[in-house]
Amino acid sequence: MIRVSKSITINGVEVTMLFTPRLFVMAEEKGIKLVVNTADVMQTMAAYADMCYCAALNYWTMDNDVNDFRLSRADFHVWSASNQEEFGKTMTMAAEAITGKTMKELVKEQQAVKESGEVKKKKSSLIMRLLRRS
């Protein structure tokens, strides 16, 4: 079973992130583009920090008003840089939750694509990949 939620502590505030398709609605409402450029590791990490922020909003707004959320987008970027090991585990969990596949399956698929000689776009929108999956 793939996990879709994770709790972390930022600035002494415990926050739960919910990695479901609704997080993309949160991103859109906040004007955040969740784009991953696999050729640029720093851009990818920034996109995942934004995804964590949107996942936290996703969870929070299930029972609360978005305006009452106590953390900022910047707080998630600081957390990602300050807690690299936990952030790495969260990135893995997020990828699995969004794709519905384990990291092992994702790596296997990527290797198969490389071996077959197919070329994938280096820059793609997470939203578009999610929609294509459905």
Side-chain angles (χ1 to χ4, degrees):
M1 184 166 151
I2 294 175
R3 289 182 53 204
V4 296
S5 67
K6 179 174 177 62
S7 294
I8 59 171
T9 302
I10 298 178
N11 300 335
V13 176
E14 185 172 327
V15 61
T16 300
M17 298 174 289
L18 181 60
F19 294 95
T20 62
R22 187 172 175 272
L23 77 85
F24 295 104
V25 173
M26 298 286 96
E28 187 176 328
E29 288 178 3
K30 291 291 185 177
I32 299 171
K33 292 186 179 194
L34 297 176
V35 177
V36 174
N37 179 353
T38 57
D40 185 344
V41 174
M42 293 305 188
Q43 192 276 340
T44 298
M45 291 175 64
Y48 272 96
D50 283 339
M51 189 181 301
C52 289
Y53 171 67
C54 293
L57 290 175
N58 183 24
Y59 183 85
W60 176 262
T61 57
M62 291 290 184
D63 296 317
N64 302 286
D65 185 85
V66 69
N67 295 324
D68 294 333
F69 190 67
R70 294 173 35 191
L71 298 171
S72 70
R73 184 177 174 190
D75 291 329
F76 285 82
H77 284 265
V78 170
W79 168 79
S80 70
S82 303
N83 298 281
Q84 294 179 3
E85 185 176 335
E86 185 175 22
F87 179 60
K89 290 176 184 177
T90 303
M91 287 176 60
T92 299
M93 194 204 88
E96 290 177 349
I98 290 168
T99 63
K101 299 175 183 178
T102 66
M103 191 53 68
K104 186 176 180 177
E105 292 169 323
L106 291 170
V107 169
K108 192 175 180 178
E109 278 183 8
Q110 188 175 28
Q111 287 174 340
V113 168
K114 284 181 183 179
E115 289 171 6
S116 70
E118 292 178 31
V119 178
K120 282 189 160 184
K121 287 184 179 180
K122 289 190 177 186
K123 191 173 186 177
S124 65
S125 167
L126 285 175
I127 296 171
M128 292 307 296
R129 288 193 304 191
L130 181 66
L131 291 175
R132 280 188 216 126
R133 206 180 105 232
S134 338

